[in-house]
Structures are given as C-alpha cells and as structure tokens.
Amino acid sequence: MSNLKKTASAIALGAAMSLSAAASATAADSSDPIVIPIHNWSSQIVMSHAVGQIFESMGNSVEFVTTDSQAVYESVRLGDVALELEVWEGAFGKSFREALEKGGLHDAGDHDAVTREDWWYPMWTKEACPGLPDWKALNDCAALFKTAESGDKGRYLDGPVDWLKHGKERVEALDMNFVVVNAGSAAALWAEIGAAEKDKRPVVVFNWTPNFAEAVWPGEFVEFPAWEDGCDKDPAKGPNPNALYDCGNPAKGYLKKAAWDGMKDKWPKAYCVLTKLSFTNPQIAEMAKIVDVDEEEAEDAAGIWLAANEGVWKPWVDACAGDA
Ligand code: TMO
C-alpha cells in the first residue's frame, strides 16, 4: 500500500472510531433521574420499585412520585414522569387510549400477564346464591348483600374512586338492585373479605387478577354481559341501547407498559429494558403477596423479588447493555 493510501485508510479508521464513540456517547443514559409514578395497589408499587432498582443497577438515578392512576397518562404524555408499568385494560384502557390520541406517549409493549378486574365474590358467597356467577342471579340475590348503608338494596364494595370502574353507571345501565360504595383503599377491600370470612357472610367486592388474593380466598368474577370494544363510548354497544358501561370489563384484558416519547432518546438503555421487560401472572401475584401477606415494605419487597428472580431480569439488562 502506498503511504498515501495508508494515511487515507488511517483517517477513515479514525473517522469510523470517532463515529462509534459518538454513537455510544449518544446512547448513554442521561444522568437526570428517571421519574417513575406509583399508585395505590401493591403489585404496581412493588413492580415500580423493582424496575427502578434495575435501572439503578445500570447506573441510572430514579425518583418515585405518588400520582393519581388516571391522571398519570397525562403526566406520561407531558414527560413529567417517564413511564407507567401497569396499564390495566379494565381500569385504565380509556384514559390510556385518550392520551395516545393526544400524543406524547406510546405503547411500550405488553406484559405476558392476562388481567381481569371486575365484581368478584369469595366462594362461600356462591353457597348462598347458587345461580352465580351470572349477573342476573346476583341481582336476584341482592338482599343477601344488604348493609346498614345500602338500605333495601345490596351493597357492592367497589375499589377506590381513582380506578374509575364505572360501577354506579353499570348498576344504572343494567337496572340492578345494588348500591355502589367506594372503598377508601385496597386494604379496605381485603379487610372486608377477611371480616366476611369469619361467618361466611356473602359479599361482593371489586377485585382483580393477578393479585395475591386469589391464593388466599378462592373466588370468582361475576359474569356480566361480555365486554365489547366501545362499550364505554357508544351506547349501542351492550344490551342496553341507551347506556354506556352496560358490559363487564374485558375477561382477558391486557397489561401494558407506557412510555413518554422522549424516554427513548434521553435514557436509551433504560428504555430498551422497559421494552424488553415482561412479567407473568404468578410473578405479579407474588410481588403483591410479599407486601399484602408477608407485610414487607414495597421497596424491600422489590429487593426480595429481584434477588429471587435474577434469571428473569438480568437477561433484559444484558440485552440492553451495548449501544441501545
Ligand atoms: C387497577 N387495579 C389493578 C387495582 O384494578
């Protein structure tokens, strides 16, 4: 090779090297903290801490903020928080879809988990109301669910208001003999089931899967008219032509991750892990159990879960360790 050619190829090599140096420089995550929102049910809080600890293990800094579980989609869209780890179709599908339409956030993939959120009863309730799980049978048994606050009607203990389950709208749309009362917290739901268990009192409450509760209290979801897309938007959907929310929630709902559009460029490696990570029903139920049954703090529960499941999450980090 002539000297000239050698020089030219050395320059080309140098250029290639500085290009790749530039590429890995842009692929490094920002040192700004990744803000992760946490809500008011255990699996979401534990999962958020677990993923936060994974991001920290990659050299990122992380901050947690407690936010409303509906308003959070607006926060993700605006980049006030970087992501949301548990988008449950039943409770949050509508807020998520509306935020997607406005722009600024995107679908960062599904968890393996299949979810359901709806009216639920522990098995002893069925002994008193054998036509269950049909919703009409439940309605015929309404008197079994009377409480001081519900008068002649049955009481349905719904979840906290921010999960926006439209229990009241459903009772109206299906003309049910029930009064809907919102629990103040998830813990109030578990306390009510626990209290009813002592004398096998019939009870119907909001519940979901995956959750720790299914291992503690065998039970079933009430079968309402099947969910149809648009049941929350178009009165023609569902059995009542004049009402929204006359359907049950999806019986096989998704569990998605959502990301702020800017996350990909600001924290490319963490974003890569976000898109790869996926939890199963048993993994999510276990995260909740470490808090709700074993009574660990969420942050400790996350550490316990990560230590016991390195084979699950380390491959996501390894896959994202190079240039993202
Ligand atoms: C949103 N949640 C899982 C409590 O139904």
Side-chain angles (χ1 to χ4, degrees):
M1 215 189 279
S2 75
N3 273 341
L4 189 63
K5 273 197 179 149
K6 269 188 203 154
T7 308
S9 64
I11 290 170
L13 187 65
M17 281 171 63
S18 60
L19 259 182
S20 81
S24 48
T26 51
D29 283 358
S30 161
S31 59
D32 289 354
I34 301 172
V35 183
I36 301 179
I38 54 181
H39 309 304
N40 52 354
W41 67 96
S42 299
S43 68
Q44 196 273 349
I45 305 173
V46 175
M47 188 190 295
S48 296
H49 278 285
V51 172
Q53 290 171 23
I54 292 172
F55 289 166
E56 283 173 345
S57 79
M58 302 162 65
N60 287 297
S61 71
V62 169
E63 232 174 70
F64 297 94
V65 289
T66 300
T67 78
D68 179 283
S69 59
Q70 302 289 344
V72 72
Y73 296 97
E74 193 64 10
S75 309
V76 179
R77 210 173 69 71
L78 299 173
D80 294 340
V81 303
L83 55 89
E84 166 62 50
L85 286 161
E86 288 194 7
V87 186
W88 291 66
E89 183 172 8
F92 312 119
K94 189 176 165 86
S95 295
F96 177 58
R97 284 191 295 274
E98 286 170 359
L100 271 181
E101 277 168 27
K102 289 195 207 165
L105 94 174
H106 60 271
D107 182 337
D110 285 18
H111 289 280
D112 175 82
V114 176
T115 65
R116 188 166 182 181
E117 307 156 83
D118 225 319
W119 297 39
W120 175 97
Y121 53 85
M123 231 39 182
W124 63 80
T125 300
K126 200 172 181 172
E127 284 153 36
C129 185
L132 287 171
D134 181 66
W135 74 273
K136 288 183 182 151
L138 175 76
N139 201 36
D140 291 341
C141 293
L144 291 174
F145 302 92
K146 274 194 236 171
T147 66
E149 46 192 346
S150 68
D152 283 344
K153 299 189 171 179
R155 183 210 50 178
Y156 166 57
L157 187 63
D158 210 344
V161 279
D162 66 308
W163 300 345
L164 274 194
K165 307 137 307 292
H166 301 101
K168 293 189 174 80
E169 289 85 347
R170 192 184 301 173
V171 160
E172 236 171 73
L174 295 173
D175 195 20
M176 294 177 74
N177 296 316
F178 275 84
V179 170
V180 177
V181 175
N182 288 105
S185 64
L189 297 171
W190 319 140
E192 178 60 14
I193 302 168
E197 186 177 21
K198 298 208 174 72
D199 46 2
K200 303 284 188 266
R201 172 166 53 84
V203 68
V204 59
V205 305
F206 183 76
N207 199 351
W208 59 90
T209 183
N211 192 1
F212 80 93
E214 52 212 289
V216 179
W217 301 290
E220 291 175 339
F221 288 100
V222 176
E223 298 293 344
F224 281 96
W227 166 257
E228 290 177 54
D229 268 335
C231 192
D232 52 3
K233 257 189 162 167
D234 177 0
K237 306 280 179 170
N240 180 339
N242 301 311
L244 299 178
Y245 305 110
D246 49 339
C247 303
N249 282 329
K252 292 192 165 125
Y254 62 63
L255 185 66
K256 283 187 182 297
K257 304 160 285 178
W260 169 51
D261 286 349
M263 184 184 179
K264 189 178 195 305
D265 295 326
K266 188 160 182 188
W267 301 281
K269 292 189 169 76
Y271 176 80
C272 173
V273 168
L274 175 69
T275 60
K276 293 224 175 337
L277 72 85
S278 164
F279 297 108
T280 64
N281 285 56
Q283 289 166 350
I284 293 168
E286 174 70 14
M287 289 177 189
K289 176 198 167 266
I290 303 172
V291 168
D292 288 321
V293 178
D294 305 343
E295 303 189 336
E296 297 286 348
E297 295 295 327
E299 207 175 324
D300 300 334
I304 292 167
W305 193 91
L306 290 173
N309 291 279
E310 287 194 351
V312 173
W313 61 271
K314 287 238 163 114
W316 304 330
V317 174
D318 293 343
C320 296
D323 291 351

